[in-house]
Amino acid sequence: TMPPEEYIVSTGATYADVANLCERAYSEVCRWFSQGKSARKPTARDLRILKLDYELKVERGQIQRIS
């Protein structure tokens, strides 16, 4: 799995990109990064999708693997 923060930093994706990829509302993805009562955590499915997309981008040479 890959935390959304790590995915965004390593791929240059936006919250909107992540929302589209994970088939989530933009507002829901924003809550992954917020704090307080409105904060939410991504599901295991969301984390797997981000990891798989990251690996695909590395394999295609679109991004460099992070250490």
Side-chain angles (χ1 to χ4, degrees), residues 2-4 6-8 10-26 28-29 32 42-57 60 62-63:
M2 175 173 267
E6 189 176 326
Y7 178 82
I8 285 176
S10 62
T11 64
T14 64
Y15 289 4
D17 295 331
V18 172
N20 188 44
L21 181 64
C22 294
E23 298 180 333
R24 300 287 180 208
Y26 176 81
E28 183 174 349
V29 171
W32 296 351
T43 66
R45 176 186 171 275
D46 297 322
L47 300 176
R48 282 193 306 272
I49 288 170
L50 296 177
K51 179 66 174 178
L52 290 171
D53 189 66
Y54 168 79
E55 293 295 339
L56 186 60
K57 287 180 185 321
R60 290 180 175 168
Q62 295 172 324
I63 59 171

